[in-house]
Amino acid sequence: MKNAADARLENRTRAFPLGPDNTALFPGREYRRAIAGLREGVERGCRLMCLVGPAGIGKSMLLRTLRGQLPRGFIHEISQPPLGGLLSRLAAGLGLDVAGDEEAAVQRRIREYFAASRPKGAAVIQVIDDAETLSRDDLALVRRLFDPVRGQILLAGQPQLLSLFSADDGTWTDTQPDRIYYLEPLLRDEIGAYIRHRLNEAGFDRELFEPEAITAVAAYSGGLPRLINLLCFTALASAEFDVSTPISVECIHEAARQRMEIGNYPFPSPPAASGWRPVPSPALRAASEPNRDSGDVDENMAFIAGERRLRGERSVRFGPGRVLLSLMVGAAVGIAITRLS
């Protein structure tokens, strides 16, 4: 039998999960709009649609909800398709016994499969999540496989997904989506409702976050559900948390400080408290700074945000310190040039 501490921890984890989330989708405005648009696109027979949004916005949850609302038909989904080869992933996902990775063989089996098992008039919808990993050749392959059976393709991914539809020189290619739906971060007036929704899903029957704490969560997270979950989970996981005492704004600042101390500080927005920064404790800072790789923080931020960038591909981040240093170096170079001339 679970003790009270284990039950509380389970509730906290269910309220703000850091991994896969099987609870109900938060009915925010962006989600409702996207689901309604995608349903309409399917019903109208759109052959190629895109769902685009930043990492951690909730695209996978939205796709799961959408599947339950689509009209009768065959809906198949794969994720991160290049892993293991696109042809083999598609064939294996459909349960097709295809020897090798020959396109003609897979296409023939797909035609036979749908000719034999699809009810007349039923839709064929191929969903590809994490589709930003596709190449233009992959997209052309999917079109060749599913166009003959009048299949509909729904690609979901981060904004770089849209580079599939532009050439290297930035011009649009001949292949364009019929519809593109963007998911934007939650608005500030929705973040409190999102937190209450998450708490209700976990069985908490009271308000646990003070209004000022919700404002701080909004400032840190930028409205990304994954970052809201991370911050709120950290606050609820505190040893001092007591369900009878609401989470204060100080608890949120402390949760952000804890994320920085363990090296995972992904929050893109400044703190809600003016002049406050989640600086690690002096002892920890002194121990970690001499050996810290300047890219480690960026790498941790990318990992928490769901990005999979290699170290050599990381973008350069310019904080205030780097900007000041750049200005000082520029001024010194200018003085040196003046004296030489």
Side-chain angles (χ1 to χ4, degrees):
M1 177 177 257
K2 295 178 183 176
N3 58 36
D6 290 339
R8 284 196 299 270
L9 178 59
E10 183 176 328
N11 284 351
R12 300 171 193 175
T13 304
R14 191 163 60 248
F16 300 102
L18 304 184
D21 186 0
N22 296 318
T23 58
L25 178 72
F26 170 66
R29 282 170 287 210
E30 289 288 312
Y31 301 115
R32 296 197 307 270
R33 180 188 59 81
I35 287 179
L38 290 170
R39 286 180 58 185
E40 181 188 11
V42 170
E43 292 167 359
R44 288 179 175 271
C46 293
R47 305 295 288 279
L48 179 59
M49 297 174 287
C50 292
L51 175 65
V52 178
I57 197 69
K59 295 182 295 293
S60 296
M61 284 188 70
L62 187 146
L63 290 175
R64 189 193 69 213
T65 303
L66 177 67
R67 289 182 63 143
Q69 298 184 14
L70 288 176
R72 188 169 62 97
F74 182 89
I75 306 170
H76 177 249
E77 182 175 337
I78 61 173
S79 180
Q80 295 179 328
L83 299 179
L86 181 57
L87 269 175
S88 59
R89 290 285 298 277
L90 287 168
L94 293 169
L96 304 180
D97 184 13
V98 180
D101 287 338
E102 293 185 4
E103 180 181 338
V106 175
Q107 189 175 68
R108 183 176 64 255
R109 289 293 289 118
I110 285 178
R111 289 182 181 181
E112 294 171 354
Y113 179 88
F114 287 114
S117 62
R118 178 168 47 148
K120 186 176 180 180
V124 176
I125 305 169
Q126 174 64 58
V127 179
I128 301 181
D129 199 3
D130 298 316
E132 69 274 3
T133 58
L134 290 174
S135 67
R136 296 189 189 101
D137 289 340
D138 291 329
L139 177 59
L141 169 63
V142 176
R143 296 292 299 268
R144 290 196 300 270
L145 291 175
F146 286 92
D147 278 354
V149 294
R150 297 197 61 78
Q152 297 173 276
I153 301 167
L154 171 56
L155 306 178
Q158 297 181 42
Q160 54 264 42
L161 160 65
L162 297 181
S163 65
L164 290 175
F165 309 105
S166 62
D168 293 335
D169 61 2
T171 59
W172 292 107
T173 63
D174 293 335
T175 301
Q176 295 298 311
D178 298 306
R179 298 197 176 182
I180 301 175
Y181 299 92
Y182 295 88
L183 279 181
E184 301 288 347
L186 298 177
L187 299 176
R188 282 187 174 253
D189 64 342
E190 290 185 303
I191 293 175
Y194 173 83
I195 291 175
R196 288 188 291 273
H197 166 80
R198 299 297 328 167
L199 292 171
N200 289 335
E201 286 292 314
F204 288 101
D205 58 358
R206 63 187 301 274
E207 297 282 347
L208 287 184
F209 288 76
E210 294 179 349
E212 293 80 5
I214 293 175
T215 299
V217 170
Y220 278 113
S221 68
L224 281 177
R226 182 181 295 173
L227 298 186
I228 296 173
N229 288 357
L230 176 64
L231 193 57
C232 292
F233 174 87
T234 305
L236 291 181
S238 170
E240 289 76 25
F241 171 69
D242 181 356
V243 71
S244 64
T245 304
I247 297 292
S248 66
V249 66
E250 289 77 18
C251 294
I252 300 302
H253 294 327
E254 174 62 20
R257 187 187 66 80
Q258 290 176 18
R259 302 311 306 182
M260 175 168 274
E261 285 201 344
I262 63 177
N264 293 331
Y265 187 78
F267 308 110
S269 299
S274 177
W276 184 89
R277 286 293 184 272
V279 179
S281 62
L284 178 65
R285 188 167 61 249
S288 62
E289 281 185 348
N291 300 315
R292 170 175 281 187
D293 185 329
S294 61
D296 286 346
V297 174
D298 284 346
E299 193 162 73
N300 285 325
M301 292 172 71
F303 173 77
I304 294 295
E307 300 174 5
R308 300 173 180 81
R309 293 180 296 179
L310 298 177
R311 181 178 293 271
E313 298 173 339
R314 256 195 320 267
S315 59
V316 178
R317 296 174 184 266
F318 290 95
R322 290 189 181 182
V323 173
L324 179 60
L325 179 61
S326 298
L327 293 174
M328 294 174 63
V329 171
V333 171
I335 293 172
I337 292 174
T338 302
R339 288 180 176 177
L340 288 175
S341 61

